[in-house]
Amino acid sequence: MRTSAQKVTGGGARWRPRDSPETGTRFGAQRTWADKDGKRKLISRHITLGHGVDTQRCAQIYYDVVS
């Protein structure tokens, strides 16, 4: 089943609920931000626009969902 992002971009985007354990270990510090209370939190949900392997041809947007 294709995601909404894939439908809108014609397959040029993909959604991931989390990074792989290897990616988290390697880049976790770059994906950790302070929440509204100042507590540091690893953000893993993201959307990749473009080709996810080539850093010159993609953008990854990391986000969190708050209640």
Side-chain angles (χ1 to χ4, degrees):
M1 184 166 110
R2 292 176 61 178
T3 66
S4 296
Q6 288 173 318
K7 289 178 185 176
V8 170
T9 63
R14 68 189 164 139
W15 172 81
R16 293 287 182 246
R18 64 187 181 283
D19 286 322
S20 70
E22 297 82 13
T23 299
T25 299
R26 188 170 176 191
F27 299 107
Q30 297 173 2
R31 296 170 181 165
T32 302
W33 292 280
D35 66 12
K36 65 181 180 178
D37 298 324
K39 182 179 175 184
R40 308 263 316 146
K41 182 177 181 180
L42 175 65
I43 307 297
S44 58
R45 288 184 181 132
H46 63 282
I47 296 171
T48 300
L49 302 172
H51 191 276
V53 177
D54 185 349
T55 59
Q56 300 300 311
R57 295 177 174 224
C58 77
Q60 288 184 315
I61 302 167
Y62 282 77
Y63 65 94
D64 194 18
V65 177
V66 293
S67 57

